[in-house]
Amino acid sequence: MQPENKPIVVISSTNAEEIPNFIRAMFKDCRLNGSKKLIINFISSISYPEFIQNAREALLDNIDLGAYIYIWKPEEVDQMMKKILENRQDMKGIIIYCDDNNKHMIEKILPKVPNSIKANIIKDYCK
């Protein structure tokens, strides 16, 4: 099976220490679902350089796959949803990822996700 160019969209929030494990899990799911691209929407107060510093090794291990990374502040969730909705026709599916400390943040976001997008959820790590 040839991987598709349609990206898998990820909505996530974890502690900085969990970023390498998160990135590896997302690339693994990307491969398993036959895609070549990820669009990662990471909700956190950390800066983009700090995210990349934590994710560097995991990103380099999966250099053959494409990744767009957006870091959103918790108060920018509405902007994030608008961006996701703009590209909903092009996505292969969606993955929800969080750790125990950030589960409440994702639970606040999920009611804002339209049912048409919820139907495309491939995996929900927050359940």
Side-chain angles (χ1 to χ4, degrees):
M1 179 173 88
Q2 189 70 17
E4 286 186 57
N5 277 327
K6 283 188 166 190
I8 294 176
V9 175
V10 179
I11 299 175
S12 61
S13 183
T14 68
N15 292 328
E17 305 83 43
E18 290 294 317
I19 291 173
N21 296 332
F22 154 67
I23 294 294
R24 283 188 178 89
M26 293 306 96
F27 279 125
K28 180 181 176 191
D29 285 343
C30 183
R31 289 180 201 285
L32 289 174
N33 288 290
S35 183
K36 289 196 259 182
K37 293 182 192 172
L38 283 175
I39 299 176
I40 299 172
N41 294 284
F42 192 76
I43 305 159
S44 179
S45 296
I46 68 170
S47 67
Y48 188 81
E50 186 179 348
F51 179 90
I52 296 299
Q53 180 181 0
N54 286 314
R56 183 177 182 273
E57 188 176 317
L59 289 169
L60 290 173
D61 289 345
N62 295 283
I63 199 78
D64 59 319
L65 298 176
Y68 297 93
I69 301 169
Y70 298 96
I71 308 295
W72 302 95
K73 302 284 185 229
E75 59 272 7
E76 297 175 330
V77 169
D78 291 333
Q79 290 173 290
M80 178 191 75
M81 288 309 303
K82 184 178 176 185
K83 180 87 171 161
I84 290 171
L85 290 173
E86 286 173 4
N87 300 315
R88 71 174 165 230
Q89 306 300 352
D90 296 330
M91 76 171 77
K92 181 173 177 89
I94 191 163
I95 297 174
I96 311 294
Y97 188 95
C98 65
D99 60 9
D100 291 337
N101 297 336
N102 294 291
K103 195 172 194 173
H104 67 282
M105 189 178 313
I106 298 297
E107 287 173 348
K108 285 194 265 182
I109 295 169
L110 286 180
K112 296 179 182 183
V113 177
N115 287 338
S116 60
I117 291 181
K118 284 182 184 176
N120 291 331
I121 292 178
I122 295 170
K123 202 166 202 176
D124 187 347
Y125 285 93
C126 293
K127 286 188 176 185

